[in-house]
Amino acid sequence: MAVKIKDVAKRAGVSVTTVSRVLNGEKYVKDDLKERVNQAIADLGYSPSQIARSLVRKKTNLIGVIVPDLTSSFYSTILSSIEETASLNDYNLLVCNIIEDIDKEYKYLNVFKEMRVEGIVIMHEKINPEIRSFINALQIPVIFSSVKPADQNFISVIIDDYKAAYDATAYLIQLGHERIGFIGGDMRDVTSGQNRYTGYRNALSDHGRKVIYELIRFGDYKVQSGYQLMSELLEGFNPPTAVFAVSDDMALGAMNCIHDRGLKVPDDISVIGFDGSQLTELVRPRLTSMEQPIHEMGKLTVETIMKLIAGTYRPDGDIIMEHRLVIRDSCNAIDEQIGLPT
Amino acid sequence: MAVKIKDVAKRAGVSVTTVSRVLNGEKYVKDDLKERVNQAIADLGYSPSQIARSLVRKKTNLIGVIVPDLTSSFYSTILSSIEETASLNDYNLLVCNIIEDIDKEYKYLNVFKEMRVEGIVIMHEKINPEIRSFINALQIPVIFSSVKPADQNFISVIIDDYKAAYDATAYLIQLGHERIGFIGGDMRDVTSGQNRYTGYRNALSDHGRKVIYELIRFGDYKVQSGYQLMSELLEGFNPPTAVFAVSDDMALGAMNCIHDRGLKVPDDISVIGFDGSQLTELVRPRLTSMEQPIHEMGKLTVETIMKLIAGTYRPDGDIIMEHRLVIRDSCNAIDEQIGLPT
DNA sequence: GTGAAAGCGCTAACAA
DNA sequence: TTGTTAGCGCTTTCAC
């Protein structure tokens, strides 16, 4: 890795400036010189140092990404889309997988700063004051993808979680269900915690259902948690006939729990998920889910940050994307259900 | 981001050298000076430029990672482990998600070179001659994780795929199965294609079974492919009583196919997977699988590359890890199975 | 203990 | 068109 621009220049018998010019595709280089330079580059196996280049250009083409959990189907799909779009724009990704580890997040935010990334994508909304002020002090674009922290200064690419949860619940109501359970997220999260919960509650009341608190549980979006909460619901005196889980992972956990107790989805209990992750098509019965346009969100996240970096865009609030109910096989109308022994 | 070491020096009333010294935790700085410097750093919100630092130190603390598919449960789990270990060693990850896209891989390899990453991790084995020679010309450690390309110059962290496939098949034989189907990978892949296939075949012959070619199919490791191949097997005149799929994803596809045809796993057909991805616990029935120590492999991959970078280690061949059969609910002994209508 | 100065590999005025 | 030169922000001899 020892060959540098000077070596190329020497070998081609030109100045470093000329080499730099052909490297950067400038015109004003005569064809024969250009050829000699290219030849020298090939001979030497030269590859310009992005480090040196970044230093002088003050441009790193780096985006930092903070993912809560790489192994989650939802996040890995967004990340995949983010990577794809970034690559198309000649940007590279520095990824950090924080696993509920605030210290690690803080450490990485510092790394991002030191690495002079040009933009940061964050995919969780548990932002504490320290992190908040750190981010605000950063003079680079930060964008939240699929989540929205409470602080209004931040910009998010997101769906209308309230409305989506409302619609999911309304769908269950429309199928005739009265006892609709709720497997929720973390109420400290505005987007995926509070908004989805409120959507659920309002859908119930707007349709003349009363909110049954025994049927409401909160967890952490993961399969395991959905399993656990579902088992609590099943142990109740009068279980729900349908359940709305605020993530597909939790929905899967719920389905597994139902299955393991010898019951059937959707014959005994209907389950609707949230996210539209790949899981929905992979499980049996296939999971009906309120879908986020995951791929589009990743794409738009990067495209927006590109504009922010270029300075060609002044955000006037969040970017709201459309949610979409995708009906598969995990929900029955109430009169098709066998009903549980009470 | 305008504040630099000079500004800190000025504010603290010292030289840049002194600032650099406290930044790097050197001794030989009097406490009062150190304090003044730290104060200035805090006041200014200074953060040293990793770019400039890398340039002079010739050290980037960057590892490039090439993943075939971020959304796969197996790869995202390895990646997660790689990220964790790298972070522990103060290394950052530049990730590239190639999706069967050789051009993209080539482009990224160039990016890695230009970014002066200190090591590269590759997780697929479809290395063409161009890529091969590019890698060989690179004067930095390259390590393959979970795969082994044909070229003996490369070093891999890997299990004994032949033996693992042999053992998986032997397990099915031990359960009394005669007609054991094979849902294989890409025969151009040495590790996951050829070795697993040979393991399957040899296990059969060693145990006095003959190889039934109608029961053998090859695909691409994905769920969809497993589904497709299983459906071909089911359409045969005399379907298998058990199937060995060379990835958990394919095994899931096979299970889904069986399910969708109104048959049951393991009552009608036993299914064994390969990898030990999270999926195994998430599906019903839970999938019996020949597991790779995924987390350990990711960890060891990074630890090895760290040693390679430090120059404290001369590899004498691949690093072979232990595979392990984990029995769950997807395989029955033949006499417990109902048997298919032939 | 501390500082001045050289230089990491490149780009970008500015000259020629 | 091409080349000379001054930095980009930092670390690191080397001198004091």
Side-chain angles (χ1 to χ4, degrees), chain A residues 43-59:
Chain A
D43 292 349
L44 267 30
Y46 169 72
S47 152
S49 163
Q50 187 59 45
I51 305 295
R53 191 176 265 176
S54 293
L55 186 60
V56 27
R57 282 199 190 148
K58 296 170 177 312
K59 183 151 185 17

Side-chain angles (χ1 to χ4, degrees), chain B residues 23-34:
Chain B
L23 242 31
N24 296 292
E26 280 174 42
K27 32 195 188 179
Y28 303 136
V29 181
K30 272 203 178 136
D31 284 352
D32 60 325
L33 273 200
K34 190 183 292 182

Side-chain angles (χ1 to χ4, degrees), chain B residues 82-337:
Chain B
I82 287 177
E83 194 278 342
E84 184 185 343
T85 315
S87 174
L88 251 28
N89 287 278
D90 286 317
Y91 270 72
N92 300 117
L93 256 38
L94 228 39
V95 293
C96 164
N97 187 202
I98 59 163
I99 316 162
E100 308 276 306
D101 185 344
I102 300 291
D103 286 344
K104 194 172 173 192
E105 172 164 21
Y106 200 67
K107 173 187 161 184
Y108 257 99
L109 246 13
N110 267 299
V111 169
F112 288 170
K113 188 176 176 189
E114 295 186 355
M115 290 290 290
R116 304 298 193 250
V117 302
E118 297 179 37
I120 294 179
V121 176
I122 302 181
M123 292 196 243
H124 74 104
E125 51 189 288
K126 289 192 178 52
I127 301 299
N128 65 28
E130 195 181 7
I131 304 264
R132 183 196 319 280
S133 62
F134 185 92
I135 294 176
N136 279 326
L138 241 39
Q139 289 302 318
I140 57 177
V142 174
I143 191 162
F144 285 78
S145 193
S146 83
V147 293
K148 172 147 194 61
D151 191 317
Q152 291 303 324
N153 287 330
F154 300 136
I155 142 168
S156 287
V157 173
I158 200 174
I159 58 166
D160 182 340
D161 284 89
Y162 167 81
K163 188 66 168 41
Y166 187 102
D167 291 348
T169 309
Y171 171 66
L172 259 15
I173 292 172
Q174 175 199 321
L175 289 180
H177 292 279
E178 297 277 345
R179 299 185 60 77
I180 299 176
F182 181 74
I183 292 186
D186 188 330
M187 283 301 271
R188 288 169 302 181
D189 297 336
V190 175
T191 320
S192 35
Q194 298 166 23
N195 290 352
R196 295 183 195 170
Y197 176 57
T198 315
Y200 159 79
R201 288 196 46 156
N202 286 8
L204 288 183
S205 14
D206 285 0
H207 293 81
R209 260 68 170 178
K210 58 170 186 289
V211 177
I212 308 169
Y213 289 98
E214 294 83 34
L215 263 33
I216 296 173
R217 290 291 187 285
F218 300 97
D220 70 2
Y221 311 104
K222 302 209 177 124
V223 178
Q224 185 59 42
S225 172
Y227 193 104
Q228 167 63 26
L229 301 183
M230 187 70 221
S231 79
E232 290 176 23
L233 256 28
L234 252 20
E235 271 151 20
F237 67 106
N238 191 1
T241 60
V243 170
F244 167 35
V246 301
S247 79
D248 288 336
D249 281 2
M250 282 183 130
L252 174 56
M255 290 211 300
N256 284 345
C257 176
I258 293 168
H259 174 275
D260 290 353
R261 304 214 165 202
L263 300 173
K264 279 209 165 356
V265 175
D267 298 345
D268 297 311
I269 299 183
S270 290
V271 175
I272 187 170
F274 196 108
D275 279 346
S277 74
Q278 296 189 339
L279 238 37
T280 54
E281 295 280 350
L282 300 185
V283 297
R284 292 297 181 272
R286 297 179 316 139
L287 181 64
T288 291
S289 179
M290 181 51 72
E291 302 204 349
Q292 310 195 47
I294 307 185
H295 193 268
E296 277 303 308
M297 284 170 79
K299 184 161 178 254
L300 212 55
T301 298
V302 175
E303 286 174 352
T304 305
I305 218 161
M306 292 290 104
K307 288 191 212 154
L308 252 17
I309 290 172
T312 59
Y313 175 70
R314 287 282 80 216
D316 57 340
D318 297 324
I319 295 172
I320 313 289
M321 313 210 48
E322 294 299 314
H323 57 274
R324 179 168 138 260
L325 176 66
V326 178
I327 297 175
R328 297 197 182 80
D329 312 324
S330 64
C331 295
N332 263 0
I334 186 72
D335 50 13
E336 296 168 325
Q337 291 196 183

